[in-house]
Amino acid sequence: MKVPFIDLPGQYNSLKGEFDTAMQGVCANSTFVLGPHVQQFEENFAGFCEAKYCIGVASGTDALHLAFRALGIGKGDEVIVPAHTFVATALGVEMAGARPVLVDIDSDTFHIDTEKIEAVITNQTKAICPVHLYGNACNMDDLLAMADKHNLAIVEDAAQSHGARWAGKRSGSFGTAGCFSFYPGKNLGAFGDGGAVVTDDADVAKKLRCLRNYGSEIKYQHPEFGLNSRLDGVQAAILNIKLERLEQWNEQRWEAAKRYSDGLQSLAQAGKIILPDIKSSDEHVFHLFVMQLENRDGLMQALAEQEIQSGIHYPNPYYLEGAFKHLGYCPGDFPVTESIAQKIVSLPMFPEITCEQTDYVCEQVHQFLK
Ligand SMILES: *Cc1c(COP(=O)(O)O)cnc(C)c1O
């Protein structure tokens, strides 16, 4: 049996008729950039996130970059980000001209360790950017209290958590801005790059609409120094169709996570692996199912031999990469991040994964650790 890491062609084929008709519709009236499909999607996605406004942009990286700029964060400012996340969280800060200041993660949740935030706050700190990593919503009570105490903004990186809730509220709707990616592999993925910012703040929304469109609201008037970062009509048409299925798909992801968790429980009890807390199906939307073990590389090789794909999210702490040399961080600065980077492995995860496939993966993990 083959188990792919994710099955995008399968999802396309299951709704092919609807997707093809929608794409033909965009082509027929040729509203390729912004336009009515984008407007409709912005309305739909704001509603889904329980936020007032949604502004479609070109990518999740730009969603972060433009959200910081819309909040007036730039040169000379600092933004607190987790040491363990996809590189784009820190890139968004850098693109706005500000400095990412890193904080280690909590070893149980993989989220920024809120207790370690206070130690790095300076006069330059303007915002905290928590990441709802792997689809698991952060504890926003603690983060909001910390931001409140120090008068900092919260910009959420919700690129992996479309639909996840904390205390009943959607991820992305807690901070001044919530940033999403619609990269094809995300829980809500387009047929190319795309992103969005959601916010309840009318001024921030207005500024974002301006920034994404050459710094212009009225053609040929440029009050802001903007850029070209817009969502395409084709992407919006696809996203409108997929958004209707998102909650169902997130539920299916959670059910697959539950099957992994049940199937591997005895190994966790024997101390051979560490499983993620599966929480409830709306708190954790399982963008990724990430477990930890000592011989991670051995397991990945054994799975590959059985035609099971797996991944590491992420193998190299980004602050040790060349791009971030100027920040001056060294190996050993974030021990939790560096320790888990050696042990984490992501098992195949997509809404359509079958019981036979998750059972087979569990069987092979047992076989390897026997
Ligand atoms: C995917 C991702 C991004 C960036 O989104 P793009 O659309 O690829 O630019 C940012 N942060 C996190 C946590 C992500 O997973």
Side-chain angles (χ1 to χ4, degrees):
M1 193 188 312
K2 273 190 189 174
V3 189
F5 190 68
I6 176 175
D7 182 17
L8 292 178
Q11 192 169 79
Y12 169 67
N13 286 319
S14 75
L15 292 167
K16 186 177 183 324
E18 245 183 285
F19 288 144
D20 291 356
T21 305
M23 285 191 281
Q24 281 162 15
V26 177
C27 293
N29 56 39
S30 297
T31 46
F32 294 118
V33 175
L34 297 176
H37 290 93
V38 171
Q39 220 168 352
Q40 186 62 57
F41 174 69
E42 289 177 337
E43 214 170 283
N44 295 345
F45 196 63
F48 177 83
C49 293
E50 296 160 8
K52 280 198 189 133
Y53 310 99
C54 169
I55 299 90
V57 296
S59 70
T61 308
D62 267 354
L64 289 156
H65 159 210
L66 294 178
F68 294 125
R69 283 183 56 185
L71 266 65
I73 294 168
K75 214 170 155 61
D77 296 332
E78 294 177 354
V79 176
I80 295 172
V81 298
H84 179 67
T85 176
F86 182 56
V87 66
T89 314
L91 287 179
V93 177
E94 294 270 1
M95 284 169 79
R99 183 183 179 86
V101 173
L102 278 59
V103 166
D104 210 351
I105 53 160
D106 176 284
S107 60
D108 293 330
T109 59
F110 302 108
H111 292 148
I112 191 164
D113 188 339
T114 309
E115 286 178 11
K116 293 184 179 148
I117 289 178
E118 211 149 30
V120 301
I121 293 175
T122 69
N123 290 334
Q124 279 79 52
T125 311
K126 291 291 170 343
I128 305 170
C129 183
V131 183
H132 305 288
L133 202 69
Y134 306 150
N136 182 16
C138 294
N139 179 332
M140 292 308 298
D141 295 348
D142 293 352
L143 282 160
L144 287 166
M146 180 64 67
D148 207 42
K149 183 172 167 196
H150 296 276
N151 197 22
L152 303 175
I154 287 201
V155 173
E156 297 170 69
D157 182 339
Q160 300 189 359
S161 68
H162 317 68
R165 293 179 190 273
W166 166 259
K169 219 167 119 65
R170 293 275 196 205
S171 65
S173 72
F174 289 90
T176 312
C179 303
F180 290 87
S181 163
F182 306 122
Y183 177 76
K186 309 286 183 177
N187 287 34
L188 179 62
F191 285 1
D193 278 311
V197 183
V198 300
T199 181
D200 283 342
D201 186 316
D203 293 333
V204 169
K206 190 170 144 73
K207 189 126 181 220
L208 282 163
R209 286 187 200 290
C210 187
L211 286 172
R212 73 170 173 184
N213 192 39
Y214 319 111
S216 173
E217 261 183 290
I218 301 161
K219 212 166 187 177
Y220 307 123
Q221 292 184 14
H222 302 274
E224 300 283 345
F225 192 81
L227 71 159
N228 176 352
S229 178
R230 299 170 299 202
L231 189 61
D232 295 346
V234 169
Q235 307 312 339
I238 297 301
L239 291 168
N240 277 325
I241 293 169
K242 288 199 178 189
L243 183 57
E244 287 177 34
R245 273 96 183 166
L246 180 56
E247 288 196 293
Q248 171 69 37
W249 284 337
N250 281 347
E251 188 75 31
Q252 287 168 231
R253 285 174 181 272
W254 186 84
E255 277 161 13
K258 175 98 172 71
R259 295 198 299 272
Y260 278 142
S261 179
D262 291 346
L264 300 171
Q265 204 51 246
S266 59
L267 294 172
Q269 267 151 18
K272 291 184 174 172
I273 60 172
I274 299 173
L275 289 168
D277 180 359
I278 66 161
K279 300 170 89 180
S280 73
S281 62
D282 61 357
E283 289 169 299
H284 199 326
V285 296
F286 282 96
H287 174 58
L288 295 167
F289 185 94
V290 178
M291 63 173 203
Q292 300 176 62
L293 76 164
E294 288 304 326
N295 188 4
R296 183 263 318 273
D297 296 338
L299 173 67
M300 287 182 76
Q301 198 184 331
L303 292 178
E305 280 161 16
Q306 302 305 319
E307 298 194 287
I308 297 168
Q309 292 179 345
S310 59
I312 306 171
H313 301 87
Y314 300 89
N316 308 322
Y318 67 88
Y319 54 86
L320 299 177
E321 293 294 297
F324 293 93
K325 219 181 259 170
H326 61 285
L327 296 178
Y329 292 114
C330 303
D333 280 349
F334 304 104
V336 181
T337 293
E338 285 166 42
S339 149
I340 63 114
Q342 306 299 317
K343 299 178 198 158
I344 47 175
V345 57
S346 311
L347 299 183
M349 176 53 77
F350 49 97
E352 300 81 6
I353 193 168
T354 64
C355 297
E356 289 72 25
Q357 287 175 314
T358 51
D359 286 351
Y360 179 62
V361 173
C362 291
E363 209 179 287
Q364 294 306 319
V365 175
H366 276 280
Q367 186 67 29
F368 177 75
L369 290 171
K370 167 174 96 198

